[in-house]
């Protein structure tokens, strides 16, 4: 399968890039736009509560080509199902999108998801016709419940938001991959290109990140690095790695050698 034919389908929409990026924490809107371009991402997240929806004033949306990117409004900063649902409705009314990243956080220190409130919000939003991509814990039971509710994907965390720790429990991600049929997208915790590649080599459908790019010393270069890492990790997964062995295995054949 060629890379160009290896498309990602979420909620009936087709994408060629498997890297999704956030738009917060950059030094300027210009830097944001340049990083987005270098990342090759087609889906970009926008925090509804942090974007200026008054188009008479300068806004991040002025720097984003909405014909080029698919907006994924997110409910960052919401701690209850009611707040998250209200934020998604606001995004749709403002003409942003009904394609939403659902976050319902449990506390300000860890920013771990409140799975009970998350499930409650997901049920409401799916019933209202939203395409829901929920940020959740790396818990297969929660992911299966979100799939059963009708979410278009599940987005388990690799590590706490903004931590840059990489995927702390790849075994949980593998269990999720084996037990859900919707796309699995690692969200949160990526710090380097190798982290992104590892997520893709596990078989994840994609990776979503923000701080790893925006917080880098050179965000533009890191955006390109992440693009290449996701592509390489996906190709590696599709190619199929060799089995792990405890002992050496000669690279050159021994048969036919003259004694």
């Amino acid at each position: 399968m060629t890379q160009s034919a290896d498309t990602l389908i979420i909620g009936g929409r087709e994408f060629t890039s498997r890297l999704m990026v956030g738009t917060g924490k950059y030094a300027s809107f210009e830097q944001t736009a340049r990083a987005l371009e270098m990342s090759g991402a087609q889906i970009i997240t926008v925090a509804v509560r942090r974007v200026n929806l008054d188009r008479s004033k300068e806004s991040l949306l002025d720097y984003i080509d909405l014909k080029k990117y698919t907006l994924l409004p997110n409910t960052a900063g919401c701690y209850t199902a009611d707040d998250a649902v209200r934020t998604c409705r606001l995004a749709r009314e403002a003409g942003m999108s009904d394609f939403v990243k659902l976050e319902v956080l449990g506390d300000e220190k860890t920013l771990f998801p409140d799975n009970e409130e998350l499930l409650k919000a997901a049920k409401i939003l799916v019933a209202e016709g939203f395409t829901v991509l929920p940020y959740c814990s790396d818990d297969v039971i929660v992911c299966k419940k979100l799939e059963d509710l009708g979410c278009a994907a599940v987005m388990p965390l690799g590590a706490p938001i903004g931590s840059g720790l990489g995927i702390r429990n790849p075994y949980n991600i593998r269990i999720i991959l084996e037990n859900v049929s919707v796309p699995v997208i690692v969200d949160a915790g990526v710090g380097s290109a190798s982290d992104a590649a590892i997520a893709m080599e596990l078989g994840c459908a994609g990776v979503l990140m923000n701080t790893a790019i925006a917080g880098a010393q050179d965000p533009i270069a890191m955006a390109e690095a992440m693009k290449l890492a996701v592509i390489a990790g996906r190709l590696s997964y599709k190619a199929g790695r060799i089995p792990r062995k405890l002992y050496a295995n000669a690279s050159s054949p021994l048969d036919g050698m003259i004694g």
Side-chain angles (χ1 to χ4, degrees), residues 8-10 17-21 43 153-156 167 173 177 182-188 190 195-209 230-231 234:
L8 170 62
I9 299 175
I10 301 177
S17 173
R18 292 174 179 270
L19 173 61
M20 307 173 191
V21 296
I43 299 174
V154 291
M155 305 178 75
I167 298 177
I173 301 297
L177 286 164
V182 294
V184 176
I185 300 161
V186 165
D187 179 14
V190 169
D195 295 334
I198 287 169
M200 298 307 297
E201 287 180 330
L202 285 171
C204 293
V207 181
L208 191 153
M209 65 185 73
V230 167
I231 292 172
R234 178 66 178 176

PDB file of all heavy atoms in Angstrom, residues 8-10 17-21 43 153-156 167 173 177 182-188 190 195-209 230-231 234:
ATOM      1  N   LEU A   8      -6.805   7.964   6.332  1.00  0.00           N
ATOM      2  CA  LEU A   8      -7.448   7.885   7.634  1.00  0.00           C
ATOM      3  C   LEU A   8      -8.887   8.354   7.475  1.00  0.00           C
ATOM      4  O   LEU A   8      -9.138   9.435   6.934  1.00  0.00           O
ATOM      5  CB  LEU A   8      -6.707   8.779   8.633  1.00  0.00           C
ATOM      6  CG  LEU A   8      -7.367   9.003   9.994  1.00  0.00           C
ATOM      7  CD1 LEU A   8      -7.510   7.693  10.765  1.00  0.00           C
ATOM      8  CD2 LEU A   8      -6.564  10.014  10.810  1.00  0.00           C
ATOM      9  N   ILE A   9      -9.817   7.552   7.938  1.00  0.00           N
ATOM     10  CA  ILE A   9     -11.235   7.909   7.829  1.00  0.00           C
ATOM     11  C   ILE A   9     -11.818   8.054   9.232  1.00  0.00           C
ATOM     12  O   ILE A   9     -11.754   7.127  10.043  1.00  0.00           O
ATOM     13  CB  ILE A   9     -12.025   6.856   7.033  1.00  0.00           C
ATOM     14  CG1 ILE A   9     -11.471   6.749   5.608  1.00  0.00           C
ATOM     15  CG2 ILE A   9     -13.507   7.205   7.006  1.00  0.00           C
ATOM     16  CD1 ILE A   9     -12.102   5.654   4.779  1.00  0.00           C
ATOM     17  N   ILE A  10     -12.339   9.232   9.502  1.00  0.00           N
ATOM     18  CA  ILE A  10     -12.971   9.517  10.797  1.00  0.00           C
ATOM     19  C   ILE A  10     -14.335  10.139  10.535  1.00  0.00           C
ATOM     20  O   ILE A  10     -14.434  11.173   9.878  1.00  0.00           O
ATOM     21  CB  ILE A  10     -12.134  10.495  11.641  1.00  0.00           C
ATOM     22  CG1 ILE A  10     -10.734   9.933  11.895  1.00  0.00           C
ATOM     23  CG2 ILE A  10     -12.825  10.773  12.972  1.00  0.00           C
ATOM     24  CD1 ILE A  10      -9.839  10.883  12.668  1.00  0.00           C
ATOM     25  N   SER A  17      -3.150  12.892   6.094  1.00  0.00           N
ATOM     26  CA  SER A  17      -2.210  13.102   7.194  1.00  0.00           C
ATOM     27  C   SER A  17      -2.760  12.461   8.462  1.00  0.00           C
ATOM     28  O   SER A  17      -3.954  12.570   8.759  1.00  0.00           O
ATOM     29  CB  SER A  17      -1.984  14.597   7.441  1.00  0.00           C
ATOM     30  OG  SER A  17      -1.206  14.785   8.617  1.00  0.00           O
ATOM     31  N   ARG A  18      -1.884  11.798   9.194  1.00  0.00           N
ATOM     32  CA  ARG A  18      -2.268  11.169  10.454  1.00  0.00           C
ATOM     33  C   ARG A  18      -1.743  11.945  11.658  1.00  0.00           C
ATOM     34  O   ARG A  18      -1.830  11.471  12.787  1.00  0.00           O
ATOM     35  CB  ARG A  18      -1.778   9.720  10.477  1.00  0.00           C
ATOM     36  CG  ARG A  18      -2.507   8.851   9.458  1.00  0.00           C
ATOM     37  CD  ARG A  18      -1.949   7.447   9.363  1.00  0.00           C
ATOM     38  NE  ARG A  18      -2.716   6.691   8.397  1.00  0.00           N
ATOM     39  CZ  ARG A  18      -3.808   5.968   8.666  1.00  0.00           C
ATOM     40  NH1 ARG A  18      -4.252   5.912   9.915  1.00  0.00           N
ATOM     41  NH2 ARG A  18      -4.457   5.312   7.722  1.00  0.00           N
ATOM     42  N   LEU A  19      -1.203  13.108  11.409  1.00  0.00           N
ATOM     43  CA  LEU A  19      -0.758  13.994  12.479  1.00  0.00           C
ATOM     44  C   LEU A  19      -1.786  15.108  12.660  1.00  0.00           C
ATOM     45  O   LEU A  19      -2.135  15.803  11.703  1.00  0.00           O
ATOM     46  CB  LEU A  19       0.609  14.600  12.143  1.00  0.00           C
ATOM     47  CG  LEU A  19       1.128  15.675  13.097  1.00  0.00           C
ATOM     48  CD1 LEU A  19       1.304  15.126  14.510  1.00  0.00           C
ATOM     49  CD2 LEU A  19       2.441  16.255  12.580  1.00  0.00           C
ATOM     50  N   MET A  20      -2.258  15.258  13.878  1.00  0.00           N
ATOM     51  CA  MET A  20      -3.192  16.330  14.210  1.00  0.00           C
ATOM     52  C   MET A  20      -2.490  17.251  15.203  1.00  0.00           C
ATOM     53  O   MET A  20      -1.823  16.766  16.120  1.00  0.00           O
ATOM     54  CB  MET A  20      -4.468  15.761  14.827  1.00  0.00           C
ATOM     55  CG  MET A  20      -5.120  14.691  13.988  1.00  0.00           C
ATOM     56  SD  MET A  20      -6.504  13.895  14.839  1.00  0.00           S
ATOM     57  CE  MET A  20      -6.794  12.502  13.743  1.00  0.00           C
ATOM     58  N   VAL A  21      -2.650  18.537  15.037  1.00  0.00           N
ATOM     59  CA  VAL A  21      -1.907  19.464  15.885  1.00  0.00           C
ATOM     60  C   VAL A  21      -2.810  20.531  16.484  1.00  0.00           C
ATOM     61  O   VAL A  21      -3.820  20.919  15.905  1.00  0.00           O
ATOM     62  CB  VAL A  21      -0.747  20.133  15.114  1.00  0.00           C
ATOM     63  CG1 VAL A  21       0.284  19.097  14.694  1.00  0.00           C
ATOM     64  CG2 VAL A  21      -1.246  20.885  13.906  1.00  0.00           C
ATOM     65  N   ILE A  43      -5.998  18.183  10.155  1.00  0.00           N
ATOM     66  CA  ILE A  43      -6.916  18.427  11.259  1.00  0.00           C
ATOM     67  C   ILE A  43      -6.180  19.232  12.323  1.00  0.00           C
ATOM     68  O   ILE A  43      -5.105  18.839  12.778  1.00  0.00           O
ATOM     69  CB  ILE A  43      -7.413  17.109  11.876  1.00  0.00           C
ATOM     70  CG1 ILE A  43      -8.163  16.276  10.840  1.00  0.00           C
ATOM     71  CG2 ILE A  43      -8.306  17.387  13.090  1.00  0.00           C
ATOM     72  CD1 ILE A  43      -8.569  14.893  11.349  1.00  0.00           C
ATOM     73  N   ALA A 153     -14.019   8.134  17.130  1.00  0.00           N
ATOM     74  CA  ALA A 153     -12.659   7.685  17.441  1.00  0.00           C
ATOM     75  C   ALA A 153     -12.512   7.716  18.951  1.00  0.00           C
ATOM     76  O   ALA A 153     -13.386   8.234  19.656  1.00  0.00           O
ATOM     77  CB  ALA A 153     -11.621   8.596  16.786  1.00  0.00           C
ATOM     78  N   VAL A 154     -11.428   7.149  19.443  1.00  0.00           N
ATOM     79  CA  VAL A 154     -11.079   7.319  20.853  1.00  0.00           C
ATOM     80  C   VAL A 154      -9.667   7.869  20.900  1.00  0.00           C
ATOM     81  O   VAL A 154      -8.822   7.548  20.067  1.00  0.00           O
ATOM     82  CB  VAL A 154     -11.195   6.006  21.663  1.00  0.00           C
ATOM     83  CG1 VAL A 154     -12.653   5.602  21.799  1.00  0.00           C
ATOM     84  CG2 VAL A 154     -10.373   4.880  21.038  1.00  0.00           C
ATOM     85  N   MET A 155      -9.403   8.728  21.904  1.00  0.00           N
ATOM     86  CA  MET A 155      -8.119   9.420  21.975  1.00  0.00           C
ATOM     87  C   MET A 155      -7.505   9.241  23.370  1.00  0.00           C
ATOM     88  O   MET A 155      -7.513  10.163  24.191  1.00  0.00           O
ATOM     89  CB  MET A 155      -8.307  10.894  21.638  1.00  0.00           C
ATOM     90  CG  MET A 155      -8.994  11.094  20.294  1.00  0.00           C
ATOM     91  SD  MET A 155      -9.300  12.826  19.873  1.00  0.00           S
ATOM     92  CE  MET A 155      -7.654  13.330  19.428  1.00  0.00           C
ATOM     93  N   PRO A 156      -6.976   8.060  23.645  1.00  0.00           N
ATOM     94  CA  PRO A 156      -6.366   7.831  24.959  1.00  0.00           C
ATOM     95  C   PRO A 156      -5.074   8.613  25.119  1.00  0.00           C
ATOM     96  O   PRO A 156      -4.320   8.804  24.164  1.00  0.00           O
ATOM     97  CB  PRO A 156      -6.093   6.327  24.953  1.00  0.00           C
ATOM     98  CG  PRO A 156      -5.932   5.974  23.507  1.00  0.00           C
ATOM     99  CD  PRO A 156      -6.894   6.871  22.777  1.00  0.00           C
ATOM    100  N   ILE A 167       4.763   7.739  25.595  1.00  0.00           N
ATOM    101  CA  ILE A 167       3.742   6.752  25.941  1.00  0.00           C
ATOM    102  C   ILE A 167       4.225   5.947  27.141  1.00  0.00           C
ATOM    103  O   ILE A 167       5.142   5.135  27.031  1.00  0.00           O
ATOM    104  CB  ILE A 167       3.432   5.830  24.745  1.00  0.00           C
ATOM    105  CG1 ILE A 167       2.879   6.663  23.589  1.00  0.00           C
ATOM    106  CG2 ILE A 167       2.423   4.756  25.152  1.00  0.00           C
ATOM    107  CD1 ILE A 167       2.607   5.874  22.345  1.00  0.00           C
ATOM    108  N   ILE A 173      -2.273   0.727  25.433  1.00  0.00           N
ATOM    109  CA  ILE A 173      -2.635   1.165  24.081  1.00  0.00           C
ATOM    110  C   ILE A 173      -2.851  -0.039  23.177  1.00  0.00           C
ATOM    111  O   ILE A 173      -3.803  -0.074  22.385  1.00  0.00           O
ATOM    112  CB  ILE A 173      -1.549   2.092  23.497  1.00  0.00           C
ATOM    113  CG1 ILE A 173      -1.342   3.339  24.380  1.00  0.00           C
ATOM    114  CG2 ILE A 173      -1.919   2.502  22.059  1.00  0.00           C
ATOM    115  CD1 ILE A 173      -2.541   4.236  24.497  1.00  0.00           C
ATOM    116  N   LEU A 177      -6.224  -1.072  21.148  1.00  0.00           N
ATOM    117  CA  LEU A 177      -6.205  -1.320  19.700  1.00  0.00           C
ATOM    118  C   LEU A 177      -6.840  -2.666  19.342  1.00  0.00           C
ATOM    119  O   LEU A 177      -7.481  -2.801  18.300  1.00  0.00           O
ATOM    120  CB  LEU A 177      -4.762  -1.273  19.183  1.00  0.00           C
ATOM    121  CG  LEU A 177      -4.136   0.115  19.092  1.00  0.00           C
ATOM    122  CD1 LEU A 177      -2.617   0.014  18.961  1.00  0.00           C
ATOM    123  CD2 LEU A 177      -4.722   0.884  17.908  1.00  0.00           C
ATOM    124  N   VAL A 182     -13.028   1.560  16.143  1.00  0.00           N
ATOM    125  CA  VAL A 182     -12.875   2.941  15.670  1.00  0.00           C
ATOM    126  C   VAL A 182     -11.403   3.332  15.727  1.00  0.00           C
ATOM    127  O   VAL A 182     -10.610   2.688  16.426  1.00  0.00           O
ATOM    128  CB  VAL A 182     -13.722   3.927  16.504  1.00  0.00           C
ATOM    129  CG1 VAL A 182     -15.211   3.658  16.314  1.00  0.00           C
ATOM    130  CG2 VAL A 182     -13.336   3.867  17.974  1.00  0.00           C
ATOM    131  N   PRO A 183     -10.989   4.377  15.006  1.00  0.00           N
ATOM    132  CA  PRO A 183      -9.592   4.812  15.057  1.00  0.00           C
ATOM    133  C   PRO A 183      -9.147   5.155  16.476  1.00  0.00           C
ATOM    134  O   PRO A 183      -9.893   5.772  17.241  1.00  0.00           O
ATOM    135  CB  PRO A 183      -9.576   6.049  14.151  1.00  0.00           C
ATOM    136  CG  PRO A 183     -10.709   5.840  13.209  1.00  0.00           C
ATOM    137  CD  PRO A 183     -11.768   5.152  14.015  1.00  0.00           C
ATOM    138  N   VAL A 184      -7.925   4.742  16.808  1.00  0.00           N
ATOM    139  CA  VAL A 184      -7.315   5.064  18.098  1.00  0.00           C
ATOM    140  C   VAL A 184      -6.219   6.096  17.848  1.00  0.00           C
ATOM    141  O   VAL A 184      -5.281   5.839  17.086  1.00  0.00           O
ATOM    142  CB  VAL A 184      -6.718   3.812  18.772  1.00  0.00           C
ATOM    143  CG1 VAL A 184      -6.001   4.193  20.066  1.00  0.00           C
ATOM    144  CG2 VAL A 184      -7.809   2.773  19.035  1.00  0.00           C
ATOM    145  N   ILE A 185      -6.368   7.258  18.467  1.00  0.00           N
ATOM    146  CA  ILE A 185      -5.431   8.370  18.255  1.00  0.00           C
ATOM    147  C   ILE A 185      -4.809   8.742  19.593  1.00  0.00           C
ATOM    148  O   ILE A 185      -5.518   9.127  20.523  1.00  0.00           O
ATOM    149  CB  ILE A 185      -6.171   9.579  17.646  1.00  0.00           C
ATOM    150  CG1 ILE A 185      -6.793   9.199  16.304  1.00  0.00           C
ATOM    151  CG2 ILE A 185      -5.222  10.774  17.491  1.00  0.00           C
ATOM    152  CD1 ILE A 185      -7.878  10.121  15.835  1.00  0.00           C
ATOM    153  N   VAL A 186      -3.508   8.607  19.702  1.00  0.00           N
ATOM    154  CA  VAL A 186      -2.843   8.979  20.952  1.00  0.00           C
ATOM    155  C   VAL A 186      -2.887  10.491  21.109  1.00  0.00           C
ATOM    156  O   VAL A 186      -2.506  11.235  20.209  1.00  0.00           O
ATOM    157  CB  VAL A 186      -1.381   8.480  20.986  1.00  0.00           C
ATOM    158  CG1 VAL A 186      -0.595   9.172  22.093  1.00  0.00           C
ATOM    159  CG2 VAL A 186      -1.360   6.977  21.210  1.00  0.00           C
ATOM    160  N   ASP A 187      -3.364  10.936  22.257  1.00  0.00           N
ATOM    161  CA  ASP A 187      -3.522  12.363  22.515  1.00  0.00           C
ATOM    162  C   ASP A 187      -2.885  12.686  23.859  1.00  0.00           C
ATOM    163  O   ASP A 187      -3.287  12.135  24.882  1.00  0.00           O
ATOM    164  CB  ASP A 187      -5.014  12.710  22.534  1.00  0.00           C
ATOM    165  CG  ASP A 187      -5.275  14.173  22.827  1.00  0.00           C
ATOM    166  OD1 ASP A 187      -4.325  14.972  22.763  1.00  0.00           O
ATOM    167  OD2 ASP A 187      -6.435  14.511  23.119  1.00  0.00           O
ATOM    168  N   ALA A 188      -1.900  13.545  23.854  1.00  0.00           N
ATOM    169  CA  ALA A 188      -1.241  14.052  25.064  1.00  0.00           C
ATOM    170  C   ALA A 188      -0.036  13.219  25.461  1.00  0.00           C
ATOM    171  O   ALA A 188      -0.074  11.988  25.424  1.00  0.00           O
ATOM    172  CB  ALA A 188      -2.205  14.142  26.250  1.00  0.00           C
ATOM    173  N   VAL A 190       3.165  13.320  24.137  1.00  0.00           N
ATOM    174  CA  VAL A 190       4.262  13.211  23.175  1.00  0.00           C
ATOM    175  C   VAL A 190       5.254  14.355  23.408  1.00  0.00           C
ATOM    176  O   VAL A 190       4.857  15.500  23.585  1.00  0.00           O
ATOM    177  CB  VAL A 190       3.728  13.256  21.732  1.00  0.00           C
ATOM    178  CG1 VAL A 190       4.860  13.419  20.731  1.00  0.00           C
ATOM    179  CG2 VAL A 190       2.942  11.981  21.422  1.00  0.00           C
ATOM    180  N   ASP A 195       8.670   9.574  20.118  1.00  0.00           N
ATOM    181  CA  ASP A 195       7.405   9.246  20.786  1.00  0.00           C
ATOM    182  C   ASP A 195       6.282   9.084  19.769  1.00  0.00           C
ATOM    183  O   ASP A 195       5.451   8.179  19.880  1.00  0.00           O
ATOM    184  CB  ASP A 195       7.018  10.347  21.779  1.00  0.00           C
ATOM    185  CG  ASP A 195       7.992  10.492  22.939  1.00  0.00           C
ATOM    186  OD1 ASP A 195       8.657   9.500  23.279  1.00  0.00           O
ATOM    187  OD2 ASP A 195       8.080  11.605  23.490  1.00  0.00           O
ATOM    188  N   ALA A 196       6.248   9.974  18.796  1.00  0.00           N
ATOM    189  CA  ALA A 196       5.216   9.909  17.760  1.00  0.00           C
ATOM    190  C   ALA A 196       5.372   8.643  16.924  1.00  0.00           C
ATOM    191  O   ALA A 196       4.389   7.968  16.590  1.00  0.00           O
ATOM    192  CB  ALA A 196       5.288  11.146  16.869  1.00  0.00           C
ATOM    193  N   ALA A 197       6.613   8.312  16.592  1.00  0.00           N
ATOM    194  CA  ALA A 197       6.869   7.109  15.798  1.00  0.00           C
ATOM    195  C   ALA A 197       6.445   5.858  16.554  1.00  0.00           C
ATOM    196  O   ALA A 197       5.860   4.934  15.976  1.00  0.00           O
ATOM    197  CB  ALA A 197       8.344   7.032  15.412  1.00  0.00           C
ATOM    198  N   ILE A 198       6.724   5.819  17.863  1.00  0.00           N
ATOM    199  CA  ILE A 198       6.340   4.665  18.680  1.00  0.00           C
ATOM    200  C   ILE A 198       4.828   4.481  18.670  1.00  0.00           C
ATOM    201  O   ILE A 198       4.322   3.363  18.540  1.00  0.00           O
ATOM    202  CB  ILE A 198       6.865   4.821  20.117  1.00  0.00           C
ATOM    203  CG1 ILE A 198       8.382   4.610  20.143  1.00  0.00           C
ATOM    204  CG2 ILE A 198       6.175   3.852  21.070  1.00  0.00           C
ATOM    205  CD1 ILE A 198       9.032   4.984  21.448  1.00  0.00           C
ATOM    206  N   ALA A 199       4.083   5.574  18.813  1.00  0.00           N
ATOM    207  CA  ALA A 199       2.621   5.488  18.789  1.00  0.00           C
ATOM    208  C   ALA A 199       2.136   4.888  17.479  1.00  0.00           C
ATOM    209  O   ALA A 199       1.252   4.027  17.459  1.00  0.00           O
ATOM    210  CB  ALA A 199       2.015   6.879  18.990  1.00  0.00           C
ATOM    211  N   MET A 200       2.724   5.316  16.383  1.00  0.00           N
ATOM    212  CA  MET A 200       2.310   4.815  15.079  1.00  0.00           C
ATOM    213  C   MET A 200       2.732   3.368  14.875  1.00  0.00           C
ATOM    214  O   MET A 200       2.006   2.573  14.260  1.00  0.00           O
ATOM    215  CB  MET A 200       2.879   5.700  13.974  1.00  0.00           C
ATOM    216  CG  MET A 200       2.406   7.147  14.011  1.00  0.00           C
ATOM    217  SD  MET A 200       0.602   7.339  14.062  1.00  0.00           S
ATOM    218  CE  MET A 200       0.139   6.619  12.496  1.00  0.00           C
ATOM    219  N   GLU A 201       3.899   3.004  15.387  1.00  0.00           N
ATOM    220  CA  GLU A 201       4.368   1.616  15.246  1.00  0.00           C
ATOM    221  C   GLU A 201       3.520   0.646  16.060  1.00  0.00           C
ATOM    222  O   GLU A 201       3.454  -0.546  15.741  1.00  0.00           O
ATOM    223  CB  GLU A 201       5.834   1.516  15.653  1.00  0.00           C
ATOM    224  CG  GLU A 201       6.778   2.130  14.628  1.00  0.00           C
ATOM    225  CD  GLU A 201       8.235   2.041  15.013  1.00  0.00           C
ATOM    226  OE1 GLU A 201       8.541   2.039  16.222  1.00  0.00           O
ATOM    227  OE2 GLU A 201       9.069   1.979  14.106  1.00  0.00           O
ATOM    228  N   LEU A 202       2.865   1.136  17.110  1.00  0.00           N
ATOM    229  CA  LEU A 202       1.945   0.299  17.868  1.00  0.00           C
ATOM    230  C   LEU A 202       0.701  -0.039  17.046  1.00  0.00           C
ATOM    231  O   LEU A 202       0.003  -1.004  17.349  1.00  0.00           O
ATOM    232  CB  LEU A 202       1.515   1.016  19.152  1.00  0.00           C
ATOM    233  CG  LEU A 202       2.542   1.077  20.284  1.00  0.00           C
ATOM    234  CD1 LEU A 202       2.047   2.010  21.388  1.00  0.00           C
ATOM    235  CD2 LEU A 202       2.821  -0.304  20.846  1.00  0.00           C
ATOM    236  N   GLY A 203       0.428   0.777  16.024  1.00  0.00           N
ATOM    237  CA  GLY A 203      -0.753   0.579  15.201  1.00  0.00           C
ATOM    238  C   GLY A 203      -1.812   1.637  15.369  1.00  0.00           C
ATOM    239  O   GLY A 203      -2.929   1.497  14.844  1.00  0.00           O
ATOM    240  N   CYS A 204      -1.487   2.715  16.090  1.00  0.00           N
ATOM    241  CA  CYS A 204      -2.453   3.799  16.256  1.00  0.00           C
ATOM    242  C   CYS A 204      -2.765   4.441  14.903  1.00  0.00           C
ATOM    243  O   CYS A 204      -1.919   4.473  14.009  1.00  0.00           O
ATOM    244  CB  CYS A 204      -1.919   4.856  17.215  1.00  0.00           C
ATOM    245  SG  CYS A 204      -1.759   4.254  18.910  1.00  0.00           S
ATOM    246  N   ALA A 205      -3.978   4.956  14.793  1.00  0.00           N
ATOM    247  CA  ALA A 205      -4.404   5.573  13.540  1.00  0.00           C
ATOM    248  C   ALA A 205      -3.810   6.956  13.360  1.00  0.00           C
ATOM    249  O   ALA A 205      -3.723   7.461  12.241  1.00  0.00           O
ATOM    250  CB  ALA A 205      -5.927   5.654  13.487  1.00  0.00           C
ATOM    251  N   GLY A 206      -3.421   7.587  14.470  1.00  0.00           N
ATOM    252  CA  GLY A 206      -2.873   8.932  14.384  1.00  0.00           C
ATOM    253  C   GLY A 206      -2.369   9.405  15.726  1.00  0.00           C
ATOM    254  O   GLY A 206      -2.480   8.696  16.744  1.00  0.00           O
ATOM    255  N   VAL A 207      -1.801  10.598  15.735  1.00  0.00           N
ATOM    256  CA  VAL A 207      -1.277  11.212  16.946  1.00  0.00           C
ATOM    257  C   VAL A 207      -1.712  12.677  16.961  1.00  0.00           C
ATOM    258  O   VAL A 207      -1.654  13.352  15.930  1.00  0.00           O
ATOM    259  CB  VAL A 207       0.266  11.149  17.003  1.00  0.00           C
ATOM    260  CG1 VAL A 207       0.780  11.775  18.290  1.00  0.00           C
ATOM    261  CG2 VAL A 207       0.754   9.719  16.885  1.00  0.00           C
ATOM    262  N   LEU A 208      -2.155  13.149  18.122  1.00  0.00           N
ATOM    263  CA  LEU A 208      -2.507  14.556  18.277  1.00  0.00           C
ATOM    264  C   LEU A 208      -1.554  15.174  19.292  1.00  0.00           C
ATOM    265  O   LEU A 208      -1.301  14.584  20.348  1.00  0.00           O
ATOM    266  CB  LEU A 208      -3.954  14.712  18.733  1.00  0.00           C
ATOM    267  CG  LEU A 208      -4.527  16.139  18.674  1.00  0.00           C
ATOM    268  CD1 LEU A 208      -6.037  16.108  18.489  1.00  0.00           C
ATOM    269  CD2 LEU A 208      -4.192  16.948  19.922  1.00  0.00           C
ATOM    270  N   MET A 209      -1.024  16.344  18.978  1.00  0.00           N
ATOM    271  CA  MET A 209      -0.089  17.006  19.888  1.00  0.00           C
ATOM    272  C   MET A 209      -0.175  18.515  19.747  1.00  0.00           C
ATOM    273  O   MET A 209      -0.619  19.036  18.731  1.00  0.00           O
ATOM    274  CB  MET A 209       1.341  16.544  19.595  1.00  0.00           C
ATOM    275  CG  MET A 209       1.847  16.947  18.220  1.00  0.00           C
ATOM    276  SD  MET A 209       3.477  16.277  17.833  1.00  0.00           S
ATOM    277  CE  MET A 209       3.090  14.555  17.537  1.00  0.00           C
ATOM    278  N   VAL A 230       5.625  10.576  12.114  1.00  0.00           N
ATOM    279  CA  VAL A 230       4.333   9.908  11.964  1.00  0.00           C
ATOM    280  C   VAL A 230       4.307   9.089  10.673  1.00  0.00           C
ATOM    281  O   VAL A 230       3.828   7.946  10.644  1.00  0.00           O
ATOM    282  CB  VAL A 230       3.182  10.932  12.001  1.00  0.00           C
ATOM    283  CG1 VAL A 230       1.868  10.313  11.544  1.00  0.00           C
ATOM    284  CG2 VAL A 230       3.035  11.493  13.414  1.00  0.00           C
ATOM    285  N   ILE A 231       4.846   9.656   9.610  1.00  0.00           N
ATOM    286  CA  ILE A 231       4.908   8.923   8.340  1.00  0.00           C
ATOM    287  C   ILE A 231       5.784   7.680   8.484  1.00  0.00           C
ATOM    288  O   ILE A 231       5.405   6.568   8.083  1.00  0.00           O
ATOM    289  CB  ILE A 231       5.453   9.832   7.218  1.00  0.00           C
ATOM    290  CG1 ILE A 231       4.440  10.929   6.895  1.00  0.00           C
ATOM    291  CG2 ILE A 231       5.773   9.011   5.964  1.00  0.00           C
ATOM    292  CD1 ILE A 231       4.969  11.988   5.945  1.00  0.00           C
ATOM    293  N   ARG A 234       4.169   4.973  10.711  1.00  0.00           N
ATOM    294  CA  ARG A 234       3.068   4.297  10.014  1.00  0.00           C
ATOM    295  C   ARG A 234       3.609   3.300   8.986  1.00  0.00           C
ATOM    296  O   ARG A 234       3.138   2.161   8.894  1.00  0.00           O
ATOM    297  CB  ARG A 234       2.173   5.336   9.328  1.00  0.00           C
ATOM    298  CG  ARG A 234       1.019   4.747   8.518  1.00  0.00           C
ATOM    299  CD  ARG A 234       0.009   4.039   9.397  1.00  0.00           C
ATOM    300  NE  ARG A 234      -1.110   3.529   8.616  1.00  0.00           N
ATOM    301  CZ  ARG A 234      -2.100   2.801   9.106  1.00  0.00           C
ATOM    302  NH1 ARG A 234      -2.115   2.487  10.403  1.00  0.00           N
ATOM    303  NH2 ARG A 234      -3.078   2.386   8.346  1.00  0.00           N
TER     304      ARG A 234
END
